[in-house]
Amino acid sequence: MRMEVSDLDSAGQFDFCVIGTGPAGITTAMSLAADGKRVALLEAGQEEYTEESQDHYKGTIVGDEYLDLEFTHLRYFGGTSNHWGGWCKTLDAIDFEGKKGFPDTEWPIRKTDLDPYLKQTAEILEVPLFKPDMPLANSGFKSTDFTFSPPVLFGEKYGDALKADPNIALVFDAALTAFDTNGAAITAAKIKDSQGAEYSVHADRYILATGGIENSRLLLWANAQSNDQIVKNTKSLGRYWMEHPALPVGDVLMTTEFANSVMQDGIAFISPSAEWISQNDALNCLLYLESMTYRGVKAMIADVMCVAPDFGRWAFQQVNKSLYCGTNFRCGVEQLPLEKNRIELSDELDSSGMPRTILYWTKGEAELQSFRKAARGLADYMAKADVGRVHLRPWVLSDGSYPKEYDDVPGHHMGGTRMSDNSNLGVVDRNCKVHGQENLYVAGSSVFTSGGYANPTFSIVQLALRLSDHLKSLS
């Protein structure tokens, strides 16, 4: 049911207070309410987008070029699901197990802990179940399956159900500003509306689900106001923040037979096997090949003839046989979780008096070498198997740094309140409970220990369902 923010003070004790209405928040709230729990579901913004609300997400970037923060996540009902592209994929098993030579990449849980929520998550996101990976013989690579949500906009899809559910109090214009704590547990969530009026929400347990930047920002601000009594070990708070850097790495011509075996709707998704990752001391990555028009293929061949004559000769032979498929070749890699990539609070305040975000973010050598190893590895395989030829960009073949003109990021915010059983390395434990607080939990991609290459939304919903089951088991 809808509840006005002004009614929060008199609303009594809730079983759960869920803060945030994106995929993590709505999934968690609906699952708990279905079990008969009384849930307060709070949205800092309005039911619809407003520039005034979105202004709270303005921030500063320090480091590599990045997207304006106010455009990467959304502050209204449904959260950032309102502009996601619908790409769905699970994390790989190796993403949870950690990568050889790369510290702090191992989760305290395994893929098998999320697998029980595969079917339910697919239903929520309205996608079919994934097809099994198809190994490419003698290559160390595999063709992998992505599915695509319509995409589901959580506020739009679940708005009527949330407003009709007697177990849910859905409140707009209810921004979290602080937590009260007795040292061991949260005793109240402090809320402020857009007019500056303040209220309190009392619940047995609290779930912070405001996204891969705001979860860190809000906990940092709560800590600043409480002498570090919310997250008592602050060593990793806001740190180990990650993205999915993506770059064009070349152009490809494939035989029609090979293209038909790996492409779906004009795109091929290829990733390395766990064995290849370990043997090559690489991070996980996604190689994706997107088909070009016939005119684009002819132009590509002409462009590379002078610099790659072997590629050109092979290409013309295939064109003459009408056995070709031209593609743009791109690669996206996971980012090594590092302390230096972090969220901090600015001296600049938003209109509510909360410090804005500073994001410190740079790509590193580990990601650069993973780009190169994966692109070269697939190129070598295609040539040896005679299923295609790859013209790699000069930066892939060189020993230099990143190509400035091609920098690209998808806006996938991960880490900052990462999961670890060690409070020195993480903010939450394996059940997403904040270390040192009996009743405060975090949901969403901010708890990711490492990022893999998969778009995070599918895993966000899986984790939210797992968290909901854990919370129901406690009450």
Side-chain angles (χ1 to χ4, degrees):
M1 62 180 179
R2 278 287 308 274
M3 178 181 287
E4 296 302 321
V5 64
S6 57
D7 294 329
L8 283 174
D9 280 339
S10 59
Q13 187 84 3
F14 291 92
D15 295 313
F16 297 96
C17 175
V18 178
I19 303 152
T21 65
I26 286 180
T27 298
T28 303
M30 293 189 72
S31 179
L32 293 171
D35 198 50
K37 309 304 180 186
R38 186 169 183 247
V39 181
L41 177 59
L42 311 182
E43 168 55 50
Q46 305 291 342
E47 186 165 6
E48 302 293 339
Y49 176 90
T50 69
E51 292 185 0
E52 293 77 14
S53 179
Q54 193 63 28
D55 180 80
H56 289 262
Y57 284 175
K58 287 181 179 177
T60 303
I61 310 295
V62 178
D64 288 350
E65 184 176 349
Y66 195 72
L67 305 166
D68 288 342
L69 292 183
E70 65 180 301
F71 300 123
T72 60
H73 53 311
L74 297 175
R75 193 176 188 267
Y76 71 105
F77 187 39
T80 304
S81 75
N82 286 297
H83 72 185
W84 78 302
W87 291 48
C88 292
K89 186 79 176 76
T90 61
L91 291 165
D92 288 338
I94 193 174
D95 296 325
F96 295 89
E97 297 160 8
K99 312 295 190 307
K100 174 186 172 184
F102 299 116
D104 304 327
T105 55
E106 182 178 0
W107 293 56
I109 63 173
R110 291 294 179 261
K111 184 176 184 295
T112 51
D113 292 302
L114 296 187
D115 284 343
Y117 305 100
L118 185 69
K119 183 178 179 183
Q120 189 177 357
T121 299
E123 291 172 351
I124 289 170
L125 297 178
E126 300 178 11
V127 296
L129 293 176
F130 303 100
K131 300 173 184 175
D133 290 342
M134 181 185 74
L136 305 181
N138 304 314
S139 71
F141 293 89
K142 51 188 170 60
S143 175
T144 193
D145 185 38
F146 272 75
T147 59
F148 295 89
S149 176
V152 167
L153 310 182
F154 274 69
E156 181 178 300
K157 178 176 179 178
Y158 295 110
D160 289 344
L162 290 167
K163 293 171 187 175
D165 194 325
N167 291 324
I168 292 178
L170 174 61
V171 187
F172 298 121
D173 195 19
L176 177 72
T177 59
F179 287 114
D180 288 343
T181 180
N182 60 17
I186 302 300
T187 56
K190 310 303 286 186
I191 305 300
K192 183 182 288 188
D193 68 17
S194 57
Q195 304 305 309
E198 297 181 332
Y199 309 93
S200 295
V201 179
H202 298 276
D204 295 336
R205 294 182 174 87
Y206 301 81
I207 301 98
L208 183 62
T210 57
I213 288 180
E214 293 303 302
N215 281 349
S216 291
R217 180 191 180 201
L218 289 166
L219 287 176
L220 285 164
W221 182 227
N223 253 21
Q225 299 174 89
S226 65
N227 194 28
D228 292 343
Q229 288 303 297
I230 307 303
V231 180
K232 297 176 183 179
N233 186 341
T234 61
K235 190 173 187 297
S236 63
L237 178 56
R239 297 182 179 271
Y240 300 98
W241 196 87
M242 300 167 289
E243 247 286 3
H244 284 140
L247 292 168
V249 293
D251 299 296
V252 183
L253 284 176
M254 297 183 287
T255 63
T256 300
E257 181 180 4
F258 180 71
N260 288 340
S261 70
V262 297
M263 299 195 87
Q264 57 180 64
D265 298 325
I267 305 178
F269 301 105
I270 296 173
S271 63
S273 66
E275 294 74 20
W276 187 95
I277 291 171
S278 181
Q279 292 167 5
N280 287 273
D281 296 324
L283 296 165
N284 206 354
C285 61
L286 177 67
L287 304 153
Y288 46 108
L289 317 175
E290 187 173 8
S291 61
M292 300 167 61
T293 64
Y294 180 78
R295 178 179 293 180
V297 173
K298 299 289 280 187
M300 178 182 70
I301 294 172
D303 286 343
V304 302
M305 272 296 287
C306 294
V307 294
D310 290 342
F311 175 97
R313 282 192 291 271
W314 186 90
F316 273 119
Q317 290 173 359
Q318 302 309 310
V319 171
N320 290 338
K321 296 175 185 176
S322 295
L323 296 172
Y324 73 95
C325 180
T327 71
N328 295 307
F329 183 15
R330 296 180 60 81
C331 182
V333 301
E334 68 171 317
Q335 186 167 23
L336 185 64
L338 298 173
E339 280 189 89
K340 69 176 183 178
N341 287 323
R342 65 196 187 276
I343 293 166
E344 290 189 359
L345 299 179
S346 170
D347 292 333
E348 181 183 352
L349 307 181
D350 66 18
S351 61
S352 71
M354 181 180 293
R356 294 191 184 276
T357 298
I358 305 175
L359 173 63
Y360 291 83
W361 182 73
T362 57
K363 303 181 298 298
E365 188 67 16
E367 295 84 34
L368 179 61
Q369 295 307 320
S370 297
F371 273 120
R372 286 179 169 143
K373 290 174 182 178
R376 292 172 183 175
L378 186 60
D380 288 345
Y381 159 71
M382 294 181 73
K384 289 176 182 177
D386 202 34
V387 296
R389 294 294 186 274
V390 180
H391 176 238
L392 294 171
R393 299 287 175 95
W395 72 268
V396 179
L397 300 171
S398 74
D399 294 324
S401 188
Y402 286 91
K404 300 295 185 184
E405 64 272 28
Y406 298 128
D407 212 2
D408 186 24
V409 287
H412 297 165
H413 303 160
M414 299 166 289
T417 69
R418 72 200 305 259
M419 182 188 292
S420 175
D421 287 335
N422 182 345
S423 64
N424 285 321
L425 294 173
V427 173
V428 302
D429 66 14
R430 64 180 59 219
N431 292 315
C432 295
K433 186 181 75 67
V434 172
H435 289 292
Q437 293 290 341
E438 296 176 358
N439 62 347
L440 177 60
Y441 297 79
V442 181
S445 57
S446 68
V447 308
F448 282 24
T449 307
S450 61
Y453 67 77
N455 299 59
T457 303
F458 199 93
S459 298
I460 287 171
V461 175
Q462 286 181 294
L463 283 163
L465 292 170
R466 179 176 178 270
L467 171 59
S468 301
D469 277 358
H470 173 71
L471 293 172
K472 286 183 278 190
S473 74
L474 299 178
S475 54

